[in-house]
Amino acid sequence: MLRNAFEPWHLILIIAVLLLLFGSKKLPDMARGLGRSMRILKSEARALKDDEPAGAPRPESAARH
């Protein structure tokens, strides 16, 4: 049933509905905002990863020994 969930014509239909609902002026702004949000999320995740305590062994350092 869900084997062919997203065929090309499904994507075209979704894009057409989005254009009708939001208009062509708002879509680039929405995409820009989504991109900024993703960059912020990546940087915060990277900062959390770098803030690990120095005493905690990392998996990649344990594999080298």
Side-chain angles (χ1 to χ4, degrees):
M1 183 172 121
L2 293 175
R3 200 173 16 183
N4 296 326
F6 287 110
E7 293 183 10
W9 69 272
H10 288 121
L11 296 175
I12 292 170
L13 184 64
I14 290 171
I15 291 170
V17 168
L18 287 174
L19 281 173
L20 287 174
L21 287 176
F22 297 110
S24 60
K25 291 185 179 183
K26 287 189 178 182
L27 284 177
D29 293 334
M30 290 173 56
R32 194 174 302 117
L34 181 63
R36 286 180 186 152
S37 299
M38 291 302 294
R39 279 193 297 267
I40 290 169
L41 180 65
K42 280 184 178 180
S43 67
E44 292 295 325
R46 194 174 299 128
L48 283 175
K49 188 176 179 183
D50 291 340
D51 286 344
E52 287 181 357
R58 290 188 173 179
E60 61 269 3
S61 65
R64 291 182 193 158
H65 294 278

